[in-house]
Amino acid sequence: MEGRGAAAAAAAEEEEEEEAAGVRITPQLLKASTGEFALESILLLRLRGRGIAHLGCLGDCANLEWLDLSGNAIAQLGPLAALQSLAVLNLSRNRVASLEPLGSCRNLQSLNLAGNRLGSLQQLRCLMGLRRLESLRLRDPLARLANPLCAAPAYRAALADMFPGLKAIDGERVSGRGSELYQLCRDLDSSLGRGGGGGGAGTEPPRAAQPWVEAGFWEPRPPRRSSIMEEAYKQFGEVLQECRELSRRADDTIAQAERALSGRPDPNSYVF
């Protein structure tokens, strides 16, 4: 027991040292990554693989709706509790062991937690109040990411009981449009994988069944948010207005040049 305690203490100390050396999210980093001057104007943010260990001022992005923090060294999620508009969150390949702050993200619809340190379904109970949550991923076989709790054979069934509103678990449809077809494909793949063949001498053993669709086909797409589209239309309109203004100025300059040239005397008109 003493050996285990010492090992756990050493691991905790090593993790603290790594977090201390990690990157902290600052206003300068956010502005450089998005080009936005005001943090409240940031709607989409991708900070994948930046070595981030501290979320810093991320909670000041009050209108953030889409966030990718995958591939970092994040363990504490405290600042995320302030993101009331957040709809899509990717925290895969981090060091998360506590999800309590996410219980305040009432608009969360899609959550990717594959490749973290969640060891029990009890750690997910804080998310049961998220009525809009439709997609939850704890395991990603293609990326070889999982959580310790995924070792339990029936964890997906337990998740479906805990979150009856889920439409997709680990990227697989469990309800809603396409779920019946997906289950049919899985059943067919399983039966083909178990199927024997002729059984005669010299016949090749059956090959493992291959997926019927491309990887990620059943992955739910990020929702299109009206505010994001409005911001895009606004920026496009501003660019279009600038183009019209430049065109008007060019026309004026050309007209002035033509008038200046027409006012000059014709050299051929001089008589010597």
Side-chain angles (χ1 to χ4, degrees), residues 43 58 67 81 88 125 132-133 147 231 255 257 269:
L43 302 178
L58 187 58
L67 176 60
V88 178
R125 290 194 173 277
R132 297 188 178 184
L133 188 62
N147 283 272
E231 180 66 19
S269 64

Side-chain angles (χ1 to χ4, degrees), residues 73-254:
I74 300 167
Q76 304 297 327
L77 304 180
L80 298 184
L83 304 181
Q84 299 295 312
S85 299
L86 192 62
V88 178
L89 175 60
N90 187 350
L91 282 168
S92 62
R93 199 183 286 109
N94 276 283
R95 301 174 181 175
V96 178
S98 175
L99 304 174
E100 293 293 337
L102 299 184
S104 300
C105 301
R106 301 298 181 185
N107 285 308
L108 197 59
Q109 299 176 16
S110 177
L111 177 60
N112 188 344
L113 295 168
N116 280 281
R117 301 180 178 180
L118 301 172
S120 170
L121 289 174
Q122 297 295 325
Q123 294 170 278
L124 301 175
R125 290 194 173 277
C126 58
L127 306 179
M128 295 177 66
L130 303 180
R131 302 304 180 189
R132 297 188 178 184
L133 188 62
E134 296 181 350
S135 174
L136 179 60
R137 182 186 283 276
L138 298 175
R139 179 174 174 268
D140 188 344
L142 295 178
R144 297 182 180 179
L145 298 175
N147 283 272
L149 67 85
C150 297
Y155 82 94
R156 294 184 73 252
L159 277 180
D161 291 338
M162 288 178 62
F163 302 95
L166 286 179
K167 295 182 179 179
I169 296 177
D170 295 343
E172 300 180 2
R173 287 275 183 176
V174 294
S175 67
R177 185 178 180 182
S179 58
E180 296 83 1
L181 176 59
Y182 182 82
Q183 187 60 44
L184 175 61
C185 293
R186 282 181 59 87
D187 293 343
L188 286 173
D189 283 342
S190 299
S191 62
L192 290 174
R194 293 191 302 267
T203 60
E204 295 182 358
R207 292 178 296 177
Q210 299 298 316
W212 287 29
V213 296
E214 298 178 355
F217 181 84
W218 300 106
E219 186 73 20
R221 300 296 190 268
R224 294 184 177 180
R225 304 284 292 180
S226 59
S227 57
I228 297 177
M229 297 300 297
E230 290 173 1
E231 180 66 19
Y233 280 124
K234 177 182 177 182
Q235 294 182 10
F236 177 78
E238 292 173 353
V239 172
L240 185 60
Q241 184 63 30
E242 292 178 1
C243 291
R244 289 173 176 170
E245 180 64 21
L246 290 174
S247 177
R248 185 188 64 79
R249 293 180 182 178
D251 291 340
D252 292 342
T253 303
I254 293 173

Side-chain angles (χ1 to χ4, degrees), residues 26-108:
T26 63
Q28 292 76 17
L29 186 150
L30 294 174
K31 293 174 182 179
S33 300
T34 63
E36 296 287 352
F37 180 77
L39 300 186
E40 296 83 359
S41 300
I42 300 175
L43 302 178
L44 293 89
L45 182 59
R46 182 175 182 176
L47 295 174
R48 176 182 296 181
R50 298 287 194 92
I52 296 170
H54 305 277
L55 296 182
C57 65
L58 187 58
D60 294 336
C61 302
N63 296 312
L64 192 61
E65 298 179 356
W66 192 95
L67 176 60
D68 184 354
L69 291 171
S70 59
N72 286 290
I74 300 167
Q76 304 297 327
L77 304 180
L80 298 184
L83 304 181
Q84 299 295 312
S85 299
L86 192 62
V88 178
L89 175 60
N90 187 350
L91 282 168
S92 62
R93 199 183 286 109
N94 276 283
R95 301 174 181 175
V96 178
S98 175
L99 304 174
E100 293 293 337
L102 299 184
S104 300
C105 301
R106 301 298 181 185
N107 285 308
L108 197 59

